[in-house]
Amino acid sequence: MKRKKSRNRKRKIKVKTKKIANSFKYAFQGLLASFKTERNMKIHILIMILVILMGVTLKINIIEWIISIILFGMVISAELFNTVIETVVDMIVQYKDPKAKLAKDISAGAVLVLAISSAIIGLIIFIPKLFTLING
């Protein structure tokens, strides 16, 4: 009896581990697909890399790094959600529909608001450091 329970537990652990591994695999496939197909995702990633390089160069502090990382995650996530909304709307609506356009436009607008507010926060973090660097 005990051996059966032990074997069943091992099988359950293997199945759960495999399911978790597949979840991560599919999530990374989604990120990669978004990067390959979405121009705006490429722009967001490029800006993120530039901000990281500036952060290293200007030696931003731990709180500024935390804020930056949270904003990176929010903007990238918003772009992913926008892509999902646009894809689903395109799948469902096969003709020009004002409500479909509205849904897609509002979704894109949400990303824009987040990107602009993130850029403003970035400026608040980096402008004083640039002035310090320039003025010595």
Side-chain angles (χ1 to χ4, degrees), residues 25 52 66 82 99 104:
K25 180 178 93 173
I52 290 169
I66 291 168
N82 179 52
K99 287 185 179 179
K104 291 168 72 171

Side-chain angles (χ1 to χ4, degrees), residues 53-77:
L53 292 173
M54 281 186 61
V56 170
T57 303
L58 297 174
K59 297 179 178 135
I60 63 175
N61 66 43
I62 190 74
I63 300 299
E64 293 164 333
W65 274 117
I66 291 168
I67 291 167
S68 297
I69 291 166
I70 289 169
L71 292 173
F72 297 154
M74 289 174 62
V75 171
I76 299 300
S77 294

Side-chain angles (χ1 to χ4, degrees), residues 4-18:
K4 278 189 175 181
K5 284 185 180 181
S6 177
R7 286 181 186 166
N8 286 339
R9 279 191 201 144
K10 287 181 183 178
R11 285 183 192 156
K12 286 181 182 179
I13 291 170
K14 283 184 180 179
V15 169
K16 283 184 180 181
T17 304
K18 193 171 185 178

Side-chain angles (χ1 to χ4, degrees), residues 78-126:
E79 187 60 45
L80 290 167
F81 284 127
N82 179 52
T83 300
V84 168
I85 290 168
E86 289 182 351
T87 303
V88 170
V89 167
D90 288 344
M91 284 173 38
I92 294 170
V93 180
Q94 301 296 321
Y95 54 90
K96 288 194 175 187
D97 183 322
K99 287 185 179 179
K101 181 184 180 323
L102 181 63
K104 291 168 72 171
D105 290 350
I106 290 171
S107 178
V111 178
L112 180 63
V113 168
L114 187 54
I116 289 171
S117 62
S118 296
I120 291 168
I121 293 168
L123 291 172
I124 291 168
I125 291 171
F126 286 104

